[in-house]
Amino acid sequence: MATVLTGTDVKPVLKWAGGKRELVPEIREFYKNLSPTKYVEPFFGGGAVYFDILKTLGIQHKETAIINDVNQDLIDMYRNIKSNPKELLYCCNNLKKEYEEHGYYFLREKFNGLDSNKNNIERFEGIERSAALIVINRTCFNGLYRVNSNGFFNVPKGSYKNPRIVDEDNLYKLSNLLPKMENIRCQEFDEIKDINKGDFVYFDPPYYPLNETSSFTAYSSSFGKNEQIRLKDYFKKLNESGVYVILSNSSSPFIEEIYSEFQILKIYAGRNINSKAQKRGKIPEFLILGDSVVSQ
Ligand SMILES: C[S@@+](CC[C@H](N)C(=O)[O-])C[C@H]1O[C@@H](n2cnc3c(N)ncnc32)[C@H](O)[C@@H]1O
C-alpha cells in the first residue's frame, strides 16, 4: 500500500502546456523572501509554482492557499485527488487496462461521450472522469489539453510504448499538499473575492502569442487581447491594494506596452544559463513585478 507522505517534494500530476517547472528557479528569486498572509494562484494548470511555494515559504501555507482554474475537469480532478486519492488510483488502474486493451481513442470517445460516428455514448462522469483525464493526459500527444469549438477534447494519441500513468506515492503526497476543498476553485481569474493586502498572487495566464502565427499555447485563442487587458487592470487593482503580485507572460510588444508602468524582467528557462552565448537563440519570457515585490 502507498504511504502518506508529508514532504513538499512533489511533481505535478499532469503534463500541462505552459507548465512552469523549468522557470521556477528564476521566479523563486522574487518570492523567496516574502511572508504573505496567504498565497493565491488564479491560473493553476499543473501547479508547478504552488508546490515550490510550499517548499520555499513553508508547508503551513497550504492551510490558507487558494488555487483556481477555469477548466472544470482539471479542478474536479484536484478535488478528487484531495478527497479520495485511493478510489482515484483504483479508477486510473482500471482505465489503464482499458487503454491497453482498446487503445487511446476508445477512452477519448468515452471522455467526450461521442463515438467516431458522432453518436452520443455514455460519458465518463465523477471520479472516473478525473481518472480518465489523467490517463488521457499521459497518453495523448505531448500532454496537450485542447478542445474544439463544441467543447470536445480533440488531441490525437501520443506515441508512447509503455507510458507511466500515475506515480502512486506522488499522488498521495499531492493529496496531502492541496489546499482545503473550498479553496480549490473553478472561477474566472478575477472572481476570487477574498484577496487582501499582504496576500501574494502569482498569475500564469495563457500567454499572448509572440506573433500572429504563433500558436504555442492551445488555449490562447479564447484568451485574446480583451482578456489580457482585463487581467492587467486586475493586476493593477491588486497592486494598488498592497497585494504582492507577480505575473508571467510572453515577451511580446503588446504585453510590454500594457504593463509599461511596472517593472518587467526578461527571464530564461534553465538556472545556469548566464552567458550571452548560451542565451542566444533562446526566447525570453516576461516576469512582471508589482510594487510591493520590487520594494521588499
Ligand atoms: C499557462 S497555464 C498555467 C500553467 C501552470 N502555471 C503550470 O505550471 O502548469 C494557464 C491556465 O489558465 C487557465 N485559464 C484560462 N483562462 C482562464 C480564465 N479566464 N480564468 C482562470 N483560468 C483560466 C487554463 O485552463 C490553464 O490551465
Side-chain angles (χ1 to χ4, degrees):
M1 203 189 107
T3 41
V4 178
L5 305 169
T6 51
T8 51
D9 212 5
V10 63
K11 298 188 289 285
V13 69
L14 299 179
K15 301 180 191 177
W16 206 249
K20 278 289 156 306
R21 275 184 90 176
E22 274 193 53
L23 278 163
V24 161
E26 312 295 318
I27 306 170
R28 187 189 299 131
E29 287 305 303
F30 302 96
Y31 59 69
K32 66 178 188 202
N33 296 322
L34 297 181
S35 317
T37 316
K38 69 172 174 288
Y39 176 62
V40 184
E41 195 168 329
F43 300 91
F44 190 67
V49 174
Y50 172 76
F51 301 118
D52 191 69
I53 296 272
L54 295 187
K55 205 169 168 180
T56 310
L57 302 185
I59 194 171
Q60 73 281 5
H61 284 281
K62 75 171 185 163
E63 305 301 337
T64 49
I66 299 173
I67 62 173
N68 176 76
D69 199 288
V70 83
N71 184 323
Q72 184 74 57
D73 284 326
L74 182 74
I75 289 302
D76 286 347
M77 181 200 73
Y78 286 119
R79 288 181 178 148
N80 282 316
I81 293 177
K82 177 81 192 168
S83 62
N84 206 345
K86 195 172 171 199
E87 195 186 337
L88 184 67
L89 279 168
Y90 175 80
C91 289
C92 282
N93 287 330
N94 282 345
L95 291 181
K96 183 170 188 237
K97 282 185 207 131
E98 288 204 25
Y99 165 81
E100 284 158 358
E101 270 177 42
H102 306 291
Y104 171 80
Y105 289 102
F106 177 80
L107 290 189
R108 196 182 81 173
E109 284 174 17
K110 283 174 80 172
F111 189 75
N112 286 328
L114 207 65
D115 72 10
S116 54
N117 297 319
K118 303 221 177 345
N119 295 317
N120 289 330
I121 55 171
E122 205 177 327
R123 205 179 88 137
F124 286 130
E125 296 295 348
I127 200 159
E128 208 181 14
R129 185 166 184 79
S130 295
L133 177 66
I134 296 175
V135 179
I136 287 174
N137 173 268
R138 289 275 151 189
T139 53
C140 75
F141 179 75
N142 273 351
L144 273 182
Y145 185 93
R146 188 185 61 202
V147 291
N148 65 17
S149 53
N150 296 321
F152 294 119
F153 184 84
N154 67 358
V155 179
K157 82 176 170 64
S159 51
Y160 308 101
K161 282 224 171 74
N162 191 12
R164 175 120 204 238
I165 305 288
V166 58
D167 174 338
E168 294 204 2
D169 279 348
N170 188 65
L171 196 103
Y172 277 107
K173 216 163 150 182
L174 202 139
S175 172
N176 186 47
L177 291 178
L178 285 170
K180 51 188 171 202
M181 286 296 261
E182 64 265 35
N183 285 349
I184 306 177
R185 305 197 189 158
C186 185
Q187 295 176 303
E188 280 291 314
F189 64 84
D190 52 359
E191 285 176 351
I192 306 165
K193 298 288 171 235
D194 36 354
I195 301 179
N196 304 303
K197 182 176 181 185
D199 292 342
F200 167 34
V201 184
Y202 170 63
F203 295 97
D204 186 17
Y207 280 14
Y208 189 76
L210 271 180
N211 55 56
E212 301 270 297
T213 54
S214 169
S215 56
F216 61 94
T217 57
Y219 28 63
S220 53
S221 53
S222 60
F223 206 90
K225 272 195 170 170
N226 290 343
E227 286 73 23
Q228 295 289 356
I229 291 171
R230 183 157 68 95
L231 173 57
K232 183 270 295 171
D233 290 342
Y234 186 60
F235 180 91
K236 189 172 168 180
K237 189 180 121 197
L238 293 182
N239 180 59
E240 282 163 5
S241 343
V243 175
Y244 298 105
V245 277
I246 300 183
L247 180 141
S248 291
N249 215 316
S250 70
S251 55
S252 72
F254 173 68
I255 295 300
E256 191 163 21
E257 186 194 319
I258 65 174
Y259 288 95
S260 59
E261 66 193 279
F262 295 99
Q263 180 159 338
I264 304 180
L265 303 170
K266 280 185 180 166
I267 60 167
Y268 295 81
R271 184 161 218 170
N272 299 317
I273 304 173
N274 289 318
S275 80
K276 277 196 177 148
Q278 278 174 303
K279 271 186 190 168
R280 207 170 295 142
K282 278 218 164 212
I283 299 168
E285 297 191 6
F286 282 155
L287 197 66
I288 299 156
L289 308 178
D291 298 336
S292 346
V293 175
V294 176
S295 63
Q296 61 176 301

